[in-house]
Amino acid sequence: VFKPVDDFFVHRLLVERGTVKTGDRVTIAVDRRLRRGTAQHHTATHLLHRALKEVLGEHANQAGSLVAPDRLRFDFTHYQALSAEELARVEDLVNAKVAEDLPVEAFYTTLEEAKKMGAIALFGEKYGARVRVVRIGDFSMELCGGTHLSRTGGVGIFKITAEIGIGAGVRRIEAVAGESARRYLNGQEQQLQEAARLLKTSPREVLPRLRELLHVVEE
């Protein structure tokens, strides 16, 4: 577990073997696979935030977020459930920006200057006089201290897996990117293949076959 202190990160470690005393030197290793997964989902989160604003309006502000190596969860302010069309537009816009392979740039500036540039800051968050800004091409710019990709193409695939309400005026989107998105889509395809097998038809004929069976049942 770590937390930022000024310009430093303090790591809190659990000693499982031996002892550690003041003055000891330690080596910290980053799991590159987990770090890349986190970076993919974090960059995807920024793209999602901007896409929601483009599709729903500027009122769609971040109200909570989880970025993990294998998934993301994003809470935002909105007054009703998103339609299938709105979800498709959001997902398509994010994937379009991934395909554009936009540069992802992180830099430090003053809080005042960041606001002048139009960088999005989280409501209620406490910022110092010097802040870190993450800019994705000319599409997104937010105050952020987390790890990111160097270009959006590294996200690979972005797929929304759920959209639910979690409170009055607050919605939640869950999504996957990169390898997690590939595994998710493979799982969906396997389910379609199994449904086709049970219905004794091909995957592309599953819906016509279901409609046919439902018509027979209704009669």
Side-chain angles (χ1 to χ4, degrees):
V1 179
F2 59 89
K3 60 180 179 179
V5 177
D6 295 329
D7 291 335
F8 299 94
F9 285 90
V10 176
H11 294 256
R12 185 179 298 126
L13 307 176
L14 173 65
V15 180
E16 296 182 339
R17 218 172 42 240
T19 58
V20 177
K21 62 182 182 298
T22 302
D24 282 352
R25 288 182 175 272
V26 299
T27 300
I28 298 175
V30 174
D31 186 312
R32 292 184 181 276
R33 183 182 64 82
L34 294 180
R35 171 61 68 87
R36 179 166 177 77
T38 301
Q40 286 176 316
H41 287 92
H42 202 166
T43 298
T45 296
H46 281 221
L47 293 175
L48 172 61
H49 192 185
R50 186 65 245 171
L52 286 167
K53 287 179 173 293
E54 294 282 332
V55 172
L56 303 178
E58 289 296 328
H59 67 276
N61 293 313
Q62 180 175 333
S65 177
L66 168 71
V67 174
D70 60 343
R71 63 192 174 97
L72 69 86
R73 186 178 70 216
F74 189 76
D75 302 339
F76 59 99
T77 52
H78 190 55
Y79 47 84
Q80 64 185 16
L82 274 68
S83 67
E85 180 187 0
E86 287 172 329
L87 284 172
R89 287 171 60 196
V90 169
E91 187 174 281
D92 287 348
L93 181 53
V94 171
N95 279 308
K97 296 305 173 181
V98 170
E100 286 180 31
D101 195 26
L102 300 173
V104 182
E105 175 190 11
F107 60 91
Y108 286 90
T109 186
T110 64
L111 180 59
E112 182 180 355
E113 188 62 28
K115 288 181 177 179
K116 285 181 181 178
M117 290 188 294
I120 294 176
L122 297 184
F123 178 76
E125 189 79 7
K126 293 182 179 179
Y127 296 101
R130 186 167 175 263
V131 295
R132 183 172 181 262
V133 178
V134 173
R135 179 166 54 200
I136 302 178
D138 59 359
F139 184 67
S140 165
M141 185 160 53
E142 298 189 28
L143 303 188
C144 178
T147 185
H148 281 273
L149 300 168
S150 59
R151 304 191 71 89
T152 60
V155 171
I157 310 169
F158 174 80
K159 182 65 183 174
I160 294 173
T161 59
E163 191 273 334
I164 59 172
I166 60 169
V170 180
R171 308 296 301 177
R172 169 173 292 173
I173 280 180
E174 296 181 6
V176 286
E179 180 63 19
S180 294
R182 189 187 68 80
R183 288 197 300 268
Y184 174 83
L185 292 172
N186 283 346
Q188 295 293 298
E189 184 177 4
Q190 288 171 10
Q191 289 187 46
L192 178 59
Q193 293 281 0
E194 179 62 13
R197 186 188 67 80
L198 292 172
L199 292 169
K200 296 180 172 58
T201 188
S202 66
R204 70 172 56 187
E205 294 298 322
V206 165
L207 283 179
R209 179 62 175 151
L210 280 173
R211 292 190 184 103
E212 180 184 325
L213 291 172
L214 288 171
H215 180 70
V216 170
V217 171
E218 288 171 357
E219 287 185 342

